[in-house]
Amino acid sequence: MTGSEAPGARYHTSQSGEPEMAGAAAAHPDSGGDGRWVDLPEQWRFTFAGFYIGAVTLRCLTLLRPLGQPPYPLTPSLFRLLPEGVRALHIPSQTISKKLPRVSRLGGGICYVPGQGKRFFIDLNGAFEAYLGKFRKKTRHTMRRKLRLFSQHSDGLGGWREFRCAADMAEFHRLASEVSRKTYQHRLLRAGIDTSSSFRDEMVRGASEGQSRGYIMFHQQTPIAYMFCRARGTDLVFEKTGFDPSFAADSPGSVLLWLVLERLFADGEFRRFDFGDGVYSHKAHLATGSVEVAEIYCFPWNFRNAALVLTHSAVAGASKLLRSALEVFGVAQRLKKMIRYGTGRAVRS
């Protein structure tokens, strides 16, 4: 494969181990085997003590497949899959049975594991009412109260929309970016939705292949919450979400998630809702199961790649150490609230 393929090109893995453009001769991406390799930009953000330092965008060949598949073989022959101009191979959710080393050698390359742990999901088989039965009565009452209050304040629950067509995805990106720019994640961590035109174009390409899903919650005509997901076979993977902090008391993010889940159960298009990266208490609370996974990057060996991996690992390690120290001294939550809300604002529940 030459380096003439533009970002966004789709590949499958052939039996010979070389990438093929997706087509009739390629294995179906949902077959549970090697999955589908996709040429995608991946952004590495550098943060320390909750503050954004900088970011690097990498062009990666990313393996997309449903959660819980057998581990993809990590062998030096992997690097033969890399087209010219693509910097690394990326496996977002490799199933693991034990903890992997953070940095290791893979033949003549580098294997980097920036994160590993539980990946939570919701089994979408069955009825939504049956899913609700897993929660205690108090939890169900709390969610119904949030739905009722939001309905009262926003003139009903009809003000949300799903975006899935390529023709509509640019509009979703515009509306989601409008919301994201108001969040502390965007201001301090650059962790909201990517507002760049290149990311918008990738979302449009994904929608043209049935892979992108966007959801917007409105208050009257104003967007106040968004959620972006990607389809991976029979899984829908949660990727980004955010809400306008001035509407925090109405819980628009939680309400939107609840309404989307209800529709996913009713439509029957997907078998699982994958909560994606990050271990958070609300994911564990809502999930029906979990899988132990690792995020893996495989880089060919050179000093540029080695420096990037070591720098990213060192910054992440130092930040984790500082966070642990703050938790020991009991100031971690206070600092988190100061970062999120500012020192001069009252925290709204």
Side-chain angles (χ1 to χ4, degrees):
M1 181 67 62
T2 68
S4 61
E5 306 298 346
R10 269 56 179 170
Y11 303 87
H12 287 290
T13 302
S14 68
Q15 293 181 352
S16 65
E18 296 299 327
E20 297 177 340
M21 289 303 295
H28 191 280
D30 298 346
S31 63
D34 292 335
R36 185 166 69 159
W37 289 99
V38 182
D39 185 344
L40 287 175
E42 299 286 341
Q43 187 180 76
W44 280 14
R45 294 181 303 109
F46 293 80
T47 60
F48 186 76
F51 292 96
Y52 175 81
I53 300 173
V56 175
T57 299
L58 311 173
R59 187 179 166 195
C60 296
L61 198 60
T62 299
L63 179 62
L64 300 183
R65 57 181 181 166
L67 194 62
Q69 298 296 310
Y72 195 91
L74 296 178
T75 64
S77 62
L78 267 179
F79 294 111
R80 296 204 304 266
L81 300 177
L82 278 178
E84 183 180 345
V86 176
R87 193 164 178 183
L89 292 140
H90 177 212
I91 305 178
S93 54
Q94 174 89 320
T95 303
I96 58 174
S97 58
K98 62 180 181 180
K99 191 171 183 178
L100 302 180
R102 191 170 180 84
V103 182
S104 60
R105 292 295 299 270
L106 181 63
I110 307 167
C111 185
Y112 179 45
V113 182
Q116 54 190 309
K118 288 185 182 297
R119 185 80 167 252
F120 294 101
F121 65 85
I122 296 173
D123 186 342
L124 297 174
N125 294 301
F128 183 62
E129 289 300 321
Y131 166 69
L132 294 180
K134 96 179 200 73
F135 299 106
R136 292 183 301 176
K137 183 177 179 180
K138 181 180 179 181
T139 301
R140 297 196 298 269
H141 173 76
T142 298
M143 196 61 236
R144 291 192 183 100
R145 181 175 59 85
K146 288 183 178 181
L147 290 168
R148 185 176 64 254
L149 290 175
F150 186 87
S151 178
Q152 291 172 355
H153 296 166
S154 302
D155 300 324
L157 291 173
W160 71 286
R161 180 182 168 191
E162 179 185 47
F163 298 77
R164 56 192 302 169
C165 300
D168 297 332
M169 200 51 62
E171 181 186 1
F172 166 76
H173 182 262
R174 178 183 65 80
L175 295 169
S177 297
E178 183 180 330
V179 176
S180 185
R181 290 188 182 98
K182 301 175 182 178
T183 67
Y184 85 98
Q185 291 96 334
H186 180 87
R187 295 195 314 270
L188 299 179
L189 304 177
R190 304 297 193 273
I193 200 163
D194 188 338
T195 59
S196 68
S197 59
S198 59
F199 184 72
R200 178 200 63 207
D201 294 343
E202 172 54 36
M203 293 170 68
V204 172
R205 279 193 296 268
S208 69
E209 299 177 351
Q211 304 298 310
S212 298
R213 297 287 190 281
Y215 307 91
I216 295 286
M217 175 69 76
F218 295 91
H219 174 70
Q220 297 175 357
Q221 301 299 316
T222 303
I224 61 172
Y226 74 90
M227 191 166 79
F228 177 62
C229 304
R230 294 185 193 270
R232 291 183 187 169
T234 55
D235 289 1
L236 186 66
V237 184
F238 176 92
E239 189 164 302
K240 291 286 183 181
T241 189
F243 63 88
D244 185 335
S246 64
F247 288 87
D250 296 325
S251 305
S254 297
V255 171
L256 178 59
L257 173 60
W258 207 249
L259 293 171
V260 169
L261 287 175
E262 185 175 19
R263 175 171 290 183
L264 291 174
F265 271 97
D267 289 348
E269 181 180 2
F270 298 100
R271 292 204 302 251
R272 270 187 307 210
F273 182 78
D274 178 350
F275 276 107
D277 299 333
V279 178
Y280 299 100
S281 59
H282 74 277
K283 294 183 179 182
H285 179 64
L286 295 173
T288 60
S290 65
V291 178
E292 291 285 339
V293 301
E295 181 178 24
I296 300 173
Y297 288 87
C298 300
F299 290 87
W301 170 261
N302 59 51
F303 286 108
R304 179 169 172 245
N305 287 339
L308 175 65
V309 167
L310 292 176
T311 301
H312 190 270
S313 181
V315 171
S319 183
K320 183 178 180 180
L321 184 63
L322 177 60
R323 185 166 60 249
S324 298
L326 293 174
E327 289 174 354
V328 169
F329 290 104
V331 298
Q333 287 301 316
R334 191 188 318 169
L335 179 61
K336 182 179 179 180
K337 289 179 180 179
M338 287 174 60
I339 292 172
R340 182 168 185 172
Y341 298 103
T343 58
R345 291 182 56 193
V347 179
R348 301 175 66 184
S349 58

